[in-house]
Amino acid sequence: MHLTHRPVQPSDIPVICTFPQSPDELFYMFPKATHPLTPAQLTDAIAQRSGSTVVEGNGAIMAFANFYKAEHGGVCALGNVVVAPSARGHGVARYLVTAMIGLARQQYAAREVWVSCFNHNTAGLLLYPQLGFVPFGIEERQAWDGTRVALVQMKQLM
């Protein structure tokens, strides 16, 4: 599968909103959002963030991410990471995160890229260390249903 990436366009937003398949998946992607994800919620997040990017493959939008923090010469923090259900398990997340690391380096001259991953997000917890991320902190958070969860914070030094 040939993958490419580009900046998000308004027409991509309704498609991305279909990616989180459950309240849990939406929580992993966008903890402040309420399920189901609406174009208004995602548009607001994009407006407050930087580097919103989609991955395309086979003529379809397959993944999305952005930076909730982007300091030139400092830290870029990856957020809103989500992969289309049909594209999971095919290397799309790896491609997306690698593309976002490249964007952090090229556009922001970042010294570090951070990512946070909830303890139930097994796919993320297994992927990020393969891409050079190392844990540096754990915070207690509350999930959408009120249960206690751990947010594992990781960083990749440039």
Side-chain angles (χ1 to χ4, degrees):
M1 179 179 353
H2 177 70
L3 300 174
T4 59
H5 63 281
R6 61 169 172 77
V8 71
Q9 297 169 354
S11 60
D12 301 329
I13 291 171
V15 176
I16 297 163
C17 287
T18 69
F19 293 174
Q21 297 289 290
S22 67
D24 280 338
E25 285 186 14
L26 178 59
F27 183 72
Y28 300 158
M29 171 205 176
F30 187 178
K32 291 186 172 106
T34 53
H35 191 267
L37 182 59
T38 63
Q41 290 181 92
L42 187 56
T43 299
D44 286 350
I46 289 169
Q48 296 170 35
R49 294 171 176 232
S50 308
S52 291
T53 299
V54 295
V55 173
E56 288 182 310
N58 300 337
I61 305 299
M62 298 193 146
F64 171 79
N66 56 32
F67 299 118
Y68 63 86
K69 176 188 218 172
E71 303 168 344
H72 193 80
V75 170
C76 283
L78 196 52
N80 289 162
V81 178
V82 67
V83 175
S86 63
R88 295 175 187 168
H90 298 286
V92 176
R94 177 181 300 275
Y95 176 89
L96 173 65
V97 174
T98 302
M100 295 303 289
I101 292 166
L103 186 64
R105 286 190 176 122
Q106 292 154 16
Q107 196 169 334
Y108 299 98
R111 287 195 320 270
E112 293 181 4
V113 176
W114 292 2
V115 67
S116 297
C117 190
F118 288 101
N119 60 295
H120 295 298
N121 184 353
T122 305
L125 289 174
L126 294 173
L127 172 66
Y128 296 126
Q130 291 175 11
L131 297 175
F133 287 88
V134 293
F136 71 91
I138 297 178
E139 287 181 17
E140 182 174 330
R141 293 283 177 91
Q142 194 171 47
W144 63 272
D145 63 358
T147 57
R148 292 171 68 202
V149 292
L151 183 65
V152 180
Q153 298 167 314
M154 296 181 240
K155 65 183 169 185
Q156 184 196 55
L157 301 176
M158 297 297 184

